[in-house]
């Protein structure tokens, strides 16, 4: 257009047409907002550590960190040896090694689940009662004294008939103990395993509603993770994706979907030697989970490896390489969380996570900086990509792979600016760049 010239703008439709369309779509708008609110924007732990109810102790978090550091000292005493085992480049050797050691000293476990299901097994009622009350006391004490992991809670027994009453009682004892010890901690997480039907999710919702009412808690205060460990949880008898119905049956209380590697594999008849998180059956299940959870605010977690880094150094190195590879594979597939079953898994969990974020840091930061400044580069990014780039950097910051100073220098953005891009909804082009 000629500079200074005003184009004549004409329309053909009456304003009432748009108003009528908006009115007709109002129920859809409300349904989209209710069912797909987007990511909550809170920190997602990079892993969940499971500790049996009878093994969990006041010093579990610190003890795991010390054992992980001891494993490093014994089997990879310096940055060069650790990098050589995992195949890290020279530019990552020192930064990753130093950050792994610092993480193990400062925050060795990000998410801990006291296990009263498979890791604990069937026990006399009186014994499990005592263990559940003890877990509540120790978790409350850890939060009170500042020694807790950022997220802690329990995995109860499932809603299947043989163990239903026991699972409900254990959850009741644990939550009641927390309330009596001063209240529910902000980092509380509950896990419901072996969910097969949406009705079992609905039952969990009713259980939590009853507890909230009994103690005068805000409605919706208690959420829970759904563990996907059966074929019926992925594909229902009518051919639909059960997991999608489970999310919506949770009525906003579902916080995560956790893949159970070995129960699910066994359910499909996969032989023990081939039960792993990179089996094609596992990939299919997690892909369905991922699509079902997209946009709902429910996060997806990968499972675990049962190959433990114990024994002679060569055997430990082999287990480390396997765990590192599986973790990196999961991260590339946007499964940002997994399970760790042994202290020896912590060095490679954090090495994989830190390498993932540090390797892509400069490119991601440069792309986001260009997008924020509206400058051209060799990649044409859209708002959705800016959201992904900022989310990537925020995850790196949350786990300790990146520092805010280096991110700000590379992007020109503060954390609030990053969060502005990460929180933007589809079609929203506005975000704070300061």
């Amino acid at each position: 257009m000629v500079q200074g010239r005003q184009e004549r703008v004409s329309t053909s439709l009456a304003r009432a047409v748009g108003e009528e369309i908006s009115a007709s779509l109002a129920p859809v708008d409300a349904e989209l907002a209710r069912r797909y609110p987007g990511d909550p924007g809170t920190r997602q732990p990079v892993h969940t550590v499971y500790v049996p109810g009878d093994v969990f102790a006041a010093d579990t978090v610190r003890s795991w960190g010390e054992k992980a550091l001891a494993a490093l000292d014994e089997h990879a005493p310096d940055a060069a040896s650790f990098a050589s085992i995992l195949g890290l480049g020279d530019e990552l050797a020192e930064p990753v090694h130093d950050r792994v050691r610092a993480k193990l000293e400062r925050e060795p476990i990000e998410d801990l689940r006291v296990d009263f299901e498979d890791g604990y097994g069937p026990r006399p009622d009186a014994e499990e009662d005592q263990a559940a009350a003890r877990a509540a006391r120790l978790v409350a004490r850890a939060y009170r004294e500042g020694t807790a992991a950022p997220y802690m809670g329990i995995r109860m027994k499932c809603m299947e008939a043989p163990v239903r009453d026991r699972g409900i009682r254990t959850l009741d004892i644990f939550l009641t103990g927390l309330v009596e010890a001063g209240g529910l901690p902000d980092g509380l997480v509950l896990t419901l395993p072996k969910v097969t039907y949406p009705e079992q999710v609905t039952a969990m919702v009713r259980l939590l509603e009853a507890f909230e009412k009994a103690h005068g808690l805000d409605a919706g205060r208690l959420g829970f993770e759904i563990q996907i460990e059966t074929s019926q949880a992925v594909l229902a008898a009518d051919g639909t994706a059960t997991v999608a119905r489970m999310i919506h049956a949770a009525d906003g209380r579902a916080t995560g979907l956790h893949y159970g590697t070995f129960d699910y594999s066994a359910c499909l008849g996969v032989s023990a030697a081939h039960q792993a998180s990179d089996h094609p059956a596992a990939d299919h299940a997690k892909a369905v989970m991922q699509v079902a959870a997209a946009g709902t605010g429910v996060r997806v977690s990968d499972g675990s490896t049962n190959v433990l880094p114990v024994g002679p150094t060569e055997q430990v190195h082999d287990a480390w390489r396997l765990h590192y590879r599986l973790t990196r594979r999961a991260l590339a597939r946007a499964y940002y969380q997994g399970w760790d079953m042994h202290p020896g898994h912590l060095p490679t969990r954090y090495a994989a996570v830190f390498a993932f974020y540090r390797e892509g840091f400069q490119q991601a930061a440069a792309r986001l900086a260009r997008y924020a400044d509206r400058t051209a580069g060799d990649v044409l990014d859209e708002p959705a990509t800016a959201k992904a780039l900022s989310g990537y950097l925020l995850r790196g910051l949350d786990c300790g792979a990146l520092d805010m100073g280096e991110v700000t220098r590379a992007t020109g953005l503060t954390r609030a600016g990053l969060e502005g891009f990460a929180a933007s909804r589809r079609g929203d082009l506005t975000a704070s760049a300061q």
Side-chain angles (χ1 to χ4, degrees):
M1 110 180 175
V2 179
Q3 188 173 3
R5 176 180 174 181
Q6 293 292 321
E7 291 289 341
R8 181 173 178 272
V9 178
S10 302
T11 63
S12 302
L13 300 176
R15 184 171 182 174
V17 174
E19 292 174 347
E20 181 182 345
I21 290 174
S22 293
S24 70
L25 289 176
V28 173
D29 295 339
E31 187 77 348
L32 279 171
R34 183 178 71 84
R35 290 186 180 273
Y36 301 101
D39 189 85
T42 55
R43 176 182 180 181
Q44 181 181 10
V46 302
H47 69 169
T48 301
V49 163
Y50 281 82
V51 179
D54 58 332
V55 175
F56 176 62
D59 67 344
T60 291
V61 174
R62 183 65 266 143
S63 173
W64 272 56
E66 291 170 354
K67 290 176 181 177
L69 285 166
L72 268 180
D73 290 338
E74 180 178 357
H75 302 293
D78 53 44
S81 59
F82 194 44
S84 177
I85 295 162
L86 303 180
L88 294 175
D90 292 342
E91 72 285 357
L92 285 176
E94 290 286 348
V96 168
H97 179 264
D98 291 350
R99 286 172 186 271
V100 167
R101 292 197 67 91
K103 181 74 169 183
L104 295 175
E105 292 167 356
R106 182 185 75 254
E107 189 182 75
I109 296 176
E110 291 195 357
D111 184 26
L112 188 148
R113 207 71 71 250
V114 185
D115 191 14
F116 287 95
E117 203 233 354
D118 285 349
Y120 185 75
R123 306 289 180 97
D125 283 340
E127 183 178 341
E128 185 160 339
D129 283 354
Q130 288 296 308
R134 175 176 167 273
R137 175 173 57 82
L138 293 178
V139 169
R141 172 182 161 189
Y143 276 105
R144 189 167 58 248
E145 296 179 353
T147 59
Y151 300 93
M152 297 182 78
I154 67 167
R155 177 169 70 168
M156 60 191 280
K157 290 178 171 64
C158 70
M159 284 291 181
E160 293 178 355
V163 295
R164 183 184 304 140
D165 290 344
R166 181 63 262 180
I168 291 172
R169 181 171 174 83
T170 295
L171 181 64
D172 187 9
I173 291 170
F174 178 72
L175 292 177
T176 300
L178 289 178
V179 170
E180 292 178 346
L184 303 179
D186 290 339
L188 176 66
V189 187
L190 308 173
T191 304
L192 179 65
K194 293 183 175 61
V195 184
T196 305
Y197 283 84
E199 289 82 358
Q200 294 167 328
V201 173
T202 300
M204 184 67 167
V205 171
R206 290 174 180 168
L207 178 61
L208 298 181
E209 286 175 343
F211 189 89
E212 290 166 351
K213 290 177 182 177
H215 291 276
L217 301 172
D218 291 340
R221 169 64 180 84
L222 291 165
F224 60 99
E225 300 167 335
I226 301 170
Q227 217 163 346
I228 305 301
E229 303 175 87
T230 67
S231 60
Q232 297 91 342
V234 175
L235 190 69
D238 62 0
T240 61
T242 316
V243 64
R245 299 210 306 274
M246 287 176 178
I247 291 172
H248 300 297
D251 198 22
R253 292 179 186 264
T255 59
L257 299 176
H258 283 229
Y259 175 68
T261 305
F262 304 103
D263 282 288
Y264 186 84
S265 298
C267 182
L268 268 62
V270 179
S271 62
H274 297 282
Q275 292 178 359
S277 62
D278 59 349
H279 190 281
D283 284 341
H284 171 261
K286 286 179 286 188
V288 174
M289 292 162 59
Q290 190 174 46
V291 173
T296 65
V298 177
R299 276 112 171 226
V300 175
S301 173
D302 199 359
S304 63
T305 175
N306 60 358
V307 179
L308 304 183
V310 297
T313 293
E314 183 178 352
Q315 187 172 317
V316 171
H317 288 180
D318 286 342
W320 272 353
R321 279 188 282 266
L322 173 65
H323 186 238
Y324 178 86
R325 179 181 66 79
L326 291 175
T327 303
R328 286 298 304 263
R329 184 180 189 274
L331 289 167
R333 286 160 173 76
Y335 308 133
Y336 298 114
Q337 185 175 354
W339 300 6
D340 287 327
M341 311 302 288
H342 188 275
H345 284 142
L346 299 185
T348 38
R349 169 68 61 182
Y350 291 124
V353 170
F354 293 167
F356 176 75
Y357 289 110
R358 294 209 66 80
E359 280 178 0
F361 164 54
Q362 292 296 340
Q363 183 184 51
R367 287 176 66 180
L368 186 59
R370 287 195 297 268
Y371 181 87
D373 292 340
R374 300 294 193 267
T375 56
D378 57 354
V379 178
L380 181 62
D381 287 324
E382 297 184 354
T385 307
K387 182 174 182 175
L389 291 168
S390 56
Y392 173 88
L393 296 175
L394 286 167
R395 290 179 185 278
L397 288 167
D398 286 341
C399 70
L402 306 174
D403 299 323
M404 193 65 241
E406 65 180 340
V407 172
T408 297
R409 287 191 295 273
T411 64
L413 300 170
T414 63
R415 182 168 184 114
L418 292 173
E419 290 173 345
F421 282 117
S424 61
R425 296 182 63 85
R426 181 174 53 237
D428 180 8
L429 305 184
T430 64
S432 170
Q434 299 298 326

